Amino acid sequence: METKSDPSTLADGGAMELVRVPAWEAKFKLNENPDELAHLICCRDLEWRIAACGYEDPDPTILMEANVICTMCIEAVGGPESLAEGRCPFDDQPCPDDETLKQIIKDRTS
């Protein structure tokens, strides 16, 4: 009697597996170039990969200061005025203060 094992790689005819880590284990790089295009995400989003405009970044970096922000992201959240209100344009909850936000970023990058 012959038994076949499941192929484990695409070359062997197996399926490609998507490996994900829990959000609290995902680590991101800080980007120091303020002239790179930045997209807007919600700080409460667990994956930080899908921007307000719908762009999905497979390897996102975090910009602490950005000079160029995606126009479609700004339009999707309701304009620059909605960002200045202190309420999240994604879920209408109060945004965390700057110190809490810095701590979230520190946790996600270290």
Side-chain angles (χ1 to χ4, degrees):
M1 186 160 139
E2 186 178 313
T3 357
K4 288 188 174 182
S5 62
D6 290 333
S8 60
T9 65
L10 286 173
D12 297 331
M16 182 171 61
E17 292 185 22
L18 178 63
V19 179
R20 292 186 175 227
V21 297
W24 55 88
E25 290 182 17
K27 298 298 180 189
F28 300 92
K29 295 180 280 184
L30 286 175
N31 187 337
E32 301 296 325
N33 182 1
D35 293 324
E36 186 171 319
L37 177 66
H39 289 276
L40 299 175
I41 54 105
C42 176
C43 66
R44 286 186 270 279
D45 180 23
L46 295 179
E47 291 190 357
W48 288 7
R49 296 193 187 283
I50 300 177
C53 68
Y55 174 74
E56 186 170 353
D57 194 344
D59 188 28
T61 57
I62 298 171
L63 280 169
M64 294 298 287
E65 293 186 26
N67 294 335
V68 184
I69 299 175
C70 171
T71 306
M72 291 185 349
C73 281
I74 292 174
E75 185 177 314
V77 299
E81 305 82 27
S82 66
L83 296 175
E85 291 176 0
R87 296 193 67 77
C88 178
F90 296 92
D91 63 10
D92 201 36
Q93 298 295 314
C95 288
D97 61 27
D98 287 343
E99 288 304 313
T100 303
L101 189 55
K102 286 178 185 175
Q103 185 61 46
I104 291 171
I105 291 170
K106 182 180 175 189
D107 292 343
R108 300 288 295 268
T109 58
S110 59

